[in-house]
Amino acid sequence: GHFDDLFAIEDADYWPKPHAPTYDVFLDKFSIDPTTACMFEDMEVNLKPAHDLGMRTVWLHGSNALEDYTHVHDRAERLPQWLQKFKGKE
């Protein structure tokens, strides 16, 4: 009941992130406009193609973030920490 659908590596003919066409397959499968989407990822390298497509990007880096990357819009150690910033702003 928590998920509407699933996108697995099989859906992308076994091409993993950050293979750019994999993002296109994902967007097409779910009819997503990348300019209205946000990608959360624990590996910053996987955020680059999403950024290039116009998605907002959030790097969930744990406590290992040492660098800033231009393709990362926001960072958080954990997802609940990032979501807390928006609590009550609906």
Side-chain angles (χ1 to χ4, degrees), residues 59-72:
W59 180 24
L60 301 172
H61 57 73
S63 59
N64 301 321
L66 300 175
E67 295 185 49
D68 286 324
Y69 298 93
T70 58
H71 59 276
V72 174

Side-chain angles (χ1 to χ4, degrees), residues 2-57:
H2 296 287
F3 299 94
D4 292 329
D5 212 327
L6 175 73
F7 185 84
I9 196 166
E10 294 88 352
D11 294 309
D13 292 328
Y14 295 92
W15 284 98
K17 299 174 292 185
H19 185 67
T22 297
Y23 295 75
D24 295 327
V25 172
F26 171 79
L27 295 170
D28 288 343
K29 178 178 179 176
F30 298 107
S31 300
I32 295 172
D33 174 357
T35 64
T36 65
C38 184
M39 181 168 175
F40 299 85
E41 175 63 48
D42 63 345
M43 295 177 60
E44 62 75 25
V45 67
N46 292 334
L47 293 172
K48 177 78 169 86
H51 176 273
D52 292 346
L53 288 165
M55 288 186 204
R56 182 123 187 112
T57 59

